[in-house]
Coordinates of all heavy atoms in Angstrom, one line a residue:
H2 N 0.8 -1.2 0.0 CA 0.0 0.0 0.0 C 0.9 1.3 0.0 O 0.5 2.3 -0.7 CB -1.0 0.0 1.2 CG -2.1 -0.9 1.0 ND1 -3.1 -0.7 0.1 CD2 -2.4 -2.1 1.6 CE1 -4.0 -1.7 0.2 NE2 -3.6 -2.6 1.1
S3 N 2.0 1.2 0.7 CA 2.9 2.4 0.7 C 3.5 2.6 -0.7 O 3.6 3.7 -1.2 CB 4.0 2.2 1.7 OG 3.5 2.1 3.0
A4 N 3.9 1.5 -1.4 CA 4.4 1.6 -2.7 C 3.3 2.1 -3.7 O 3.6 2.9 -4.6 CB 5.0 0.3 -3.2
D5 N 2.1 1.6 -3.6 CA 1.0 2.0 -4.4 C 0.7 3.5 -4.3 O 0.5 4.2 -5.3 CB -0.3 1.3 -4.1 CG -0.3 -0.1 -4.8 OD1 0.4 -0.3 -5.8 OD2 -1.1 -0.9 -4.3
T6 N 0.7 4.0 -3.1 CA 0.3 5.4 -2.8 C 1.5 6.4 -2.7 O 1.2 7.6 -2.9 CB -0.5 5.5 -1.5 OG1 0.4 5.1 -0.4 CG2 -1.7 4.6 -1.5
G7 N 2.7 5.9 -2.5 CA 3.8 6.7 -2.3 C 3.8 7.5 -1.0 O 4.4 8.5 -0.9
S8 N 3.1 6.9 0.0 CA 2.9 7.6 1.2 C 2.5 6.7 2.3 O 1.7 5.8 2.2 CB 1.8 8.7 1.1 OG 1.3 9.1 2.3
F9 N 3.2 6.8 3.5 CA 2.8 6.0 4.6 C 1.5 6.5 5.2 O 0.7 5.6 5.6 CB 3.9 6.1 5.8 CG 5.2 5.4 5.5 CD1 6.4 6.0 5.9 CD2 5.2 4.2 4.8 CE1 7.6 5.3 5.7 CE2 6.4 3.6 4.5 CZ 7.6 4.2 5.0
S10 N 1.2 7.8 5.1 CA -0.1 8.3 5.6 C -1.3 7.7 4.8 O -2.3 7.3 5.3 CB -0.1 9.8 5.6 OG 0.9 10.3 6.4
A11 N -1.1 7.7 3.5 CA -2.2 7.2 2.6 C -2.4 5.7 2.8 O -3.5 5.2 2.9 CB -1.9 7.5 1.2
A12 N -1.3 5.0 2.9 CA -1.3 3.6 3.2 C -2.0 3.3 4.5 O -2.8 2.4 4.7 CB 0.1 3.0 3.2
A13 N -1.7 4.1 5.5 CA -2.3 4.0 6.9 C -3.8 4.1 6.8 O -4.6 3.4 7.4 CB -1.7 4.9 7.8
R14 N -4.3 5.1 6.0 CA -5.7 5.3 5.9 C -6.4 4.1 5.3 O -7.5 3.7 5.7 CB -6.0 6.6 5.1 CG -5.8 7.9 5.8 CD -6.3 9.1 5.1 NE -5.5 9.4 3.9 CZ -4.4 10.1 3.8 NH1 -3.9 10.6 4.9 NH2 -3.8 10.3 2.6
R15 N -5.8 3.5 4.3 CA -6.3 2.4 3.6 C -6.4 1.2 4.5 O -7.3 0.3 4.5 CB -5.5 2.0 2.4 CG -5.7 2.8 1.2 CD -4.9 2.2 0.0 NE -5.1 3.0 -1.2 CZ -4.5 2.7 -2.3 NH1 -3.7 1.6 -2.4 NH2 -4.7 3.5 -3.4
L16 N -5.4 1.1 5.4 CA -5.2 -0.1 6.3 C -5.9 0.1 7.6 O -6.0 -0.9 8.4 CB -3.8 -0.5 6.4 CG -3.0 -0.9 5.2 CD1 -1.5 -1.0 5.4 CD2 -3.5 -2.3 4.8
G17 N -6.3 1.3 7.9 CA -6.9 1.6 9.3 C -5.8 1.6 10.4 O -6.1 1.2 11.5
L18 N -4.6 2.0 10.0 CA -3.5 2.0 11.0 C -3.0 3.5 11.1 O -3.4 4.3 10.3 CB -2.3 1.1 10.5 CG -2.6 -0.3 10.4 CD1 -1.4 -1.0 9.7 CD2 -2.9 -1.0 11.7
T19 N -2.1 3.7 12.0 CA -1.4 5.0 12.0 C -0.3 5.0 11.1 O 0.3 3.9 10.7 CB -0.9 5.3 13.4 OG1 0.1 4.4 13.8 CG2 -2.0 5.3 14.5
P20 N 0.2 6.2 10.6 CA 1.3 6.3 9.7 C 2.6 5.7 10.4 O 3.4 5.0 9.7 CB 1.5 7.8 9.4 CG 0.1 8.3 9.6 CD -0.5 7.5 10.7
A21 N 2.7 5.9 11.7 CA 3.9 5.3 12.4 C 3.9 3.8 12.4 O 4.9 3.2 12.3 CB 3.9 5.9 13.9
A22 N 2.7 3.2 12.5 CA 2.6 1.7 12.5 C 3.0 1.2 11.1 O 3.7 0.2 11.0 CB 1.2 1.3 12.9
V23 N 2.5 1.9 10.1 CA 2.9 1.5 8.7 C 4.4 1.6 8.5 O 5.1 0.7 8.0 CB 2.1 2.3 7.7 CG1 2.6 2.0 6.3 CG2 0.6 2.0 7.7
S24 N 5.0 2.7 8.9 CA 6.4 2.9 8.8 C 7.2 1.8 9.6 O 8.2 1.3 9.1 CB 6.8 4.3 9.4 OG 8.1 4.5 9.3
K25 N 6.7 1.5 10.8 CA 7.4 0.5 11.5 C 7.3 -0.9 10.9 O 8.2 -1.7 10.9 CB 6.9 0.4 13.0 CG 7.3 1.5 13.8 CD 6.7 1.4 15.2 CE 7.2 2.7 16.0 NZ 6.6 2.6 17.4
N26 N 6.1 -1.2 10.3 CA 6.0 -2.4 9.6 C 6.9 -2.5 8.4 O 7.5 -3.6 8.2 CB 4.5 -2.6 9.1 CG 3.5 -3.0 10.1 OD1 3.9 -3.4 11.2 ND2 2.3 -2.8 9.9
V27 N 7.1 -1.4 7.7 CA 8.0 -1.4 6.5 C 9.4 -1.6 7.0 O 10.2 -2.3 6.4 CB 7.8 -0.2 5.7 CG1 8.9 0.0 4.6 CG2 6.4 -0.2 5.0
A28 N 9.8 -0.9 8.1 CA 11.1 -1.0 8.7 C 11.4 -2.5 9.1 O 12.5 -3.0 8.9 CB 11.3 -0.1 9.8
R29 N 10.4 -3.1 9.7 CA 10.6 -4.6 10.1 C 10.8 -5.4 8.8 O 11.6 -6.3 8.9 CB 9.3 -5.0 10.8 CG 9.3 -4.5 12.2 CD 8.1 -5.2 13.0 NE 7.9 -4.5 14.2 CZ 6.7 -3.8 14.5 NH1 5.7 -3.8 13.6 NH2 6.6 -3.2 15.6
L30 N 10.0 -5.2 7.8 CA 10.2 -5.9 6.6 C 11.6 -5.7 6.0 O 12.3 -6.7 5.5 CB 9.1 -5.6 5.5 CG 9.2 -6.3 4.2 CD1 9.0 -7.8 4.4 CD2 8.1 -5.8 3.3
E31 N 12.0 -4.5 6.0 CA 13.4 -4.1 5.5 C 14.4 -4.9 6.3 O 15.4 -5.4 5.7 CB 13.6 -2.6 5.5 CG 12.8 -1.9 4.5 CD 13.0 -0.4 4.6 OE1 13.2 0.2 5.7 OE2 13.0 0.3 3.6
N32 N 14.3 -4.9 7.6 CA 15.3 -5.6 8.4 C 15.2 -7.1 8.2 O 16.3 -7.7 8.1 CB 15.0 -5.3 9.9 CG 15.4 -4.0 10.4 OD1 16.3 -3.3 9.8 ND2 14.7 -3.5 11.4
H33 N 14.1 -7.6 8.0 CA 14.0 -9.1 7.7 C 14.6 -9.4 6.4 O 15.3 -10.4 6.2 CB 12.5 -9.5 7.7 CG 12.3 -10.9 7.4 ND1 12.5 -11.9 8.2 CD2 11.8 -11.5 6.2 CE1 12.3 -13.1 7.7 NE2 11.8 -12.8 6.4
L34 N 14.4 -8.6 5.4 CA 15.0 -8.8 4.0 C 16.4 -8.4 3.9 O 17.1 -8.9 3.0 CB 14.2 -8.1 3.0 CG 12.7 -8.4 2.8 CD1 12.0 -7.5 1.8 CD2 12.6 -9.9 2.3
G35 N 16.9 -7.5 4.8 CA 18.2 -7.0 4.7 C 18.4 -6.1 3.5 O 19.4 -6.0 2.8
L36 N 17.3 -5.4 3.2 CA 17.2 -4.6 1.9 C 16.4 -3.3 2.2 O 15.3 -3.4 2.8 CB 16.5 -5.4 0.9 CG 16.2 -4.7 -0.5 CD1 17.4 -4.4 -1.2 CD2 15.2 -5.6 -1.3
R37 N 17.0 -2.2 1.8 CA 16.2 -0.9 1.9 C 15.2 -0.8 0.8 O 15.6 -0.9 -0.4 CB 17.2 0.2 1.9 CG 16.5 1.6 2.1 CD 17.4 2.4 3.0 NE 16.7 3.7 3.2 CZ 16.6 4.3 4.3 NH1 17.1 3.7 5.4 NH2 16.0 5.4 4.4
L38 N 13.9 -0.7 1.1 CA 12.9 -0.7 0.1 C 12.5 0.7 -0.4 O 12.1 0.9 -1.5 CB 11.7 -1.4 0.6 CG 11.9 -2.9 1.0 CD1 10.7 -3.4 1.8 CD2 12.2 -3.7 -0.2
F39 N 12.6 1.7 0.5 CA 12.2 3.0 0.2 C 13.3 4.0 0.5 O 14.0 3.9 1.4 CB 10.9 3.5 1.1 CG 9.7 2.8 0.7 CD1 9.1 1.8 1.5 CD2 9.0 3.1 -0.5 CE1 8.0 1.1 1.1 CE2 7.8 2.5 -0.8 CZ 7.3 1.5 0.0
Q40 N 13.3 5.1 -0.3 CA 14.1 6.3 0.0 C 13.1 7.2 0.6 O 12.1 7.6 0.0 CB 14.7 6.9 -1.3 CG 15.5 8.1 -1.1 CD 16.8 7.7 -0.3 OE1 17.4 6.6 -0.5 NE2 17.2 8.6 0.6

Protein backbone atom coordinates (compact mmCIF):
# COMPACT_ATOMS: atom_id res chain seq x y z
CA HIS A 1 0.00 0.00 0.00
CA SER A 2 2.90 2.39 0.68
CA ALA A 3 4.41 1.61 -2.71
CA ASP A 4 1.02 2.03 -4.43
CA THR A 5 0.29 5.38 -2.82
CA GLY A 6 3.82 6.74 -2.35
CA SER A 7 2.90 7.64 1.22
CA PHE A 8 2.84 6.01 4.63
CA SER A 9 -0.09 8.27 5.59
CA ALA A 10 -2.22 7.22 2.61
CA ALA A 11 -1.33 3.56 3.19
CA ALA A 12 -2.30 3.96 6.85
CA ARG A 13 -5.71 5.35 5.90
CA ARG A 14 -6.32 2.36 3.60
CA LEU A 15 -5.23 -0.12 6.27
CA GLY A 16 -6.86 1.56 9.26
CA LEU A 17 -3.51 2.04 10.99
CA THR A 18 -1.42 5.02 12.04
CA PRO A 19 1.34 6.26 9.71
CA ALA A 20 3.86 5.35 12.43
CA ALA A 21 2.60 1.75 12.49
CA VAL A 22 2.90 1.46 8.71
CA SER A 23 6.40 2.93 8.82
CA LYS A 24 7.42 0.46 11.54
CA ASN A 25 5.95 -2.45 9.57
CA VAL A 26 7.97 -1.43 6.51
CA ALA A 27 11.11 -1.04 8.65
CA ARG A 28 10.57 -4.55 10.06
CA LEU A 29 10.20 -5.95 6.56
CA GLU A 30 13.38 -4.14 5.46
CA ASN A 31 15.26 -5.59 8.45
CA HIS A 32 13.95 -9.07 7.70
CA LEU A 33 14.96 -8.83 4.03
CA GLY A 34 18.23 -7.00 4.67
CA LEU A 35 17.19 -4.58 1.94
CA ARG A 36 16.22 -0.92 1.93
CA LEU A 37 12.89 -0.71 0.09
CA PHE A 38 12.16 3.04 0.22
CA GLN A 39 14.08 6.26 -0.02
